[in-house]
Amino acid sequence: LDQIEETESEIIIGSMVSLRQLELHRGLNNYTQNSVRDAVKDIVGVQFRNLATVGGSIWGRFGFSDVLTVFLAMDTYVELYQGGRIPLREFARQKPDQDILVRLIVRKSRGTFAYASVRNQSTDFPVIACAASVVDGEYRFAAGARPQKAMLLTDEAHLFSGGLSDDSIAAFAKYAAERIPTGSNIRAHADYRSRLIGVLCKRLFDTIKEAQ
């Protein structure tokens, strides 16, 4: 459970894999264009990332979780001891119970990924965390540290029906800022978080457009 296994179709991450292992794993970061590395590199420090596990980060469904946010943007499943394999997006909506998280499975669907966050200082919890992707033609945007747990937004409004363009990216960024609920806490006000969602959404899809 403390290893990352890679097959032709999947990347299988044991629940006891450390965040530092995620940060350094070549196969995982090659597949995600270093999005996983970008998501975990600012979490406290190397000593902490050597101890914190992916299982703890995903199972907790913490409102501040960079890890949950970045994996929501992928074709990701969780394997539960009793519940079997279910999509991460479904697991994220569930309330914690007594089941055990065994593994995280990332399907190597054809995709392009990008991740960004805003922090008041380098090792603080994020003010907002965002991940964007295009996976098998599906446009996805995940926002975490709202300060609620991460949620996934897809292009149900078909704003990207004509593909990635400056106009469609701007329209989806506005759509995301309006559709994703935010709240206030000691780090930031809800209005500021909503504005950041729009800004980061546009930047991330601009990055994906350039990568494609």
Side-chain angles (χ1 to χ4, degrees):
L1 296 179
D2 62 351
Q3 299 295 319
I4 301 175
E5 304 171 68
E6 188 173 2
T7 70
E8 290 186 3
S9 60
E10 294 178 335
I11 299 173
I12 304 165
I13 304 166
S15 61
M16 295 301 293
V17 166
S18 71
L19 302 188
R20 181 65 170 168
Q21 286 174 268
L22 294 181
E23 183 181 4
L24 298 177
H25 193 271
R26 183 175 299 176
L28 181 60
N29 282 296
N30 283 343
Y31 171 66
T32 64
Q33 296 89 52
N34 292 317
S35 293
V36 171
R37 182 201 65 190
D38 293 341
V40 303
K41 66 182 176 64
D42 292 319
I43 298 176
V44 186
V46 172
Q47 295 94 331
F48 180 84
R49 296 196 297 275
N50 277 326
L51 297 173
T53 64
V54 63
S57 299
I58 296 295
W59 178 259
R61 305 167 180 90
F62 301 116
F64 53 80
S65 178
D66 299 90
V67 179
L68 178 60
T69 304
V70 73
F71 280 108
L72 270 177
M74 304 176 206
D75 194 3
T76 309
Y77 290 74
V78 296
E79 181 184 326
L80 302 172
Y81 180 70
Q82 295 177 331
R85 185 181 288 199
I86 63 172
L88 179 60
R89 65 173 78 182
E90 179 181 327
F91 176 78
R93 293 194 296 264
Q94 296 177 353
K95 293 182 179 179
D97 55 24
Q98 298 301 310
D99 209 343
I100 299 170
L101 178 64
V102 181
R103 294 178 184 87
L104 197 65
I105 300 103
V106 178
R107 291 184 176 175
K108 289 183 178 178
S109 305
R110 182 174 55 87
T112 310
F113 308 89
Y115 183 88
S117 66
V118 171
R119 285 169 158 81
N120 290 329
Q121 59 184 27
S122 60
T123 58
D124 194 8
F125 291 129
V127 169
I128 199 74
C130 298
S133 64
V134 183
V135 182
D136 280 342
E138 181 183 40
Y139 296 86
R140 305 181 182 189
F141 180 74
R146 303 176 293 120
Q148 300 94 336
K149 66 184 177 184
M151 64 171 285
L152 182 66
L153 184 70
T154 57
D155 186 23
E156 296 177 354
H158 306 292
L159 298 171
F160 287 124
S161 57
L164 288 172
S165 66
D166 291 345
D167 289 342
S168 65
I169 291 172
F172 187 81
K174 183 175 183 293
Y175 173 75
E178 293 171 349
R179 289 294 299 273
I180 297 175
T182 58
S184 303
N185 62 6
I186 61 173
R187 290 181 178 81
H189 190 273
D191 291 343
Y192 178 56
R193 283 190 164 98
S194 294
R195 177 166 290 194
L196 286 177
I197 285 174
V199 171
L200 293 184
C201 183
K202 183 179 185 303
R203 288 181 184 176
L204 292 175
F205 278 109
D206 282 340
T207 299
I208 289 173
K209 179 185 175 184
E210 292 173 4
Q212 291 180 336

